[in-house]
Amino acid sequence: MDAVRVALLREVLAGTEWLQATRRFAGSLRASVGPRAGGLLLVGSEAYEPWHLAAHLDDEAAWSGLPELSPTLVRHRVPEGTAVPAHLAVGLGRLERAGRGETLLVVAPGDPGAGLLERVNDARRGGATVLALDGGDTELHALAHDALAAPEGGELDLDTLQHLVSAATGENSLPRPRRRRFQDRLARLAEHVAAPPPTHW
């Protein structure tokens, strides 16, 4: 889905809670993968591999100048052989090593499966931030620091939700106010002390 279609979709959804919800979730994602944080891991269920979202986040990372948004796709089944590119050869064992500063985004339209939930729990205990885009699984939501659901039969399907979130993630945000360094404050104090006393007429 290109930017024009996303804009049209947002127009259709104006006045619903979806725009605010997707932007809020995108804000959580951006905050968790800030420049000083670790990497972004993206994993689906055994039946659903979110390669489409991986591609969109990779594009958003390039367009917005935020390389930290480019995810590592974690796969349930990694093809054997040396011809597999490195970015497509990351298996579930990577989740066991996830730790503080890293973000794990789980995308699962149906049952994520006990095996994945166990690994997600391990990643959370290791200090990783867990986010979930899913169909509303209660166990996954209990593990997630933030979650957004597209229940089956609802207004939006999970595919559309992913497009809205990825587009919102790459949007420019307001610059953070720059904190004054100690030297800046000291220079201002020196200017104030050295200034001539005010004259009264």
Side-chain angles (χ1 to χ4, degrees):
M1 188 178 293
D2 58 27
V4 173
R5 288 181 184 163
V6 169
L8 288 172
L9 180 59
R10 284 176 170 169
E11 219 173 282
V12 170
L13 294 172
T16 71
E17 82 259 5
W18 288 111
L19 294 186
Q20 186 177 356
T22 52
R23 285 189 168 124
R24 178 199 55 75
F25 187 84
S28 292
L29 178 57
R30 279 182 67 140
S32 70
V33 295
R36 293 182 188 150
L40 172 60
L41 303 173
L42 176 62
V43 67
S45 62
E46 192 168 355
Y48 181 84
E49 191 168 77
W51 62 268
H52 199 62
L53 179 58
H56 279 295
L57 286 173
D58 207 41
D59 287 343
E60 293 297 339
W63 293 333
S64 62
L66 299 168
E68 60 268 21
L69 291 177
S70 187
T72 297
L73 181 61
V74 179
R75 309 179 73 192
H76 286 258
R77 288 175 297 278
V78 176
E80 294 181 10
T82 55
V84 181
H87 70 284
L88 295 178
V90 179
L92 287 176
R94 177 64 180 86
L95 301 185
E96 296 166 12
R97 301 190 305 277
R100 191 168 305 284
E102 292 184 296
T103 300
L104 173 59
L105 175 55
V106 184
V107 182
D111 180 9
L116 178 59
L117 288 172
E118 188 178 329
R119 286 182 165 93
V120 171
N121 187 42
D122 289 343
R124 180 176 170 129
R125 283 200 336 248
T129 299
V130 176
L131 304 175
L133 276 173
D134 70 339
D137 185 85
T138 53
E139 288 184 81
L140 180 55
H141 282 220
L143 292 173
H145 293 90
D146 197 356
L148 187 57
E152 192 175 342
E155 293 176 308
L156 292 185
D157 60 15
L158 189 61
D159 189 51
T160 304
L161 198 61
Q162 290 176 70
H163 281 107
L164 288 170
V165 167
S166 62
T169 303
E171 288 175 342
N172 291 330
S173 60
L174 293 172
R176 293 179 184 173
R178 186 176 74 88
R179 285 189 176 177
R180 280 203 191 108
R181 296 178 310 161
F182 175 73
Q183 289 90 345
D184 294 337
R185 290 191 305 244
L186 194 59
R188 289 191 61 181
L189 178 62
E191 284 175 18
H192 181 70
V193 170
T199 54
H200 299 285
W201 300 98

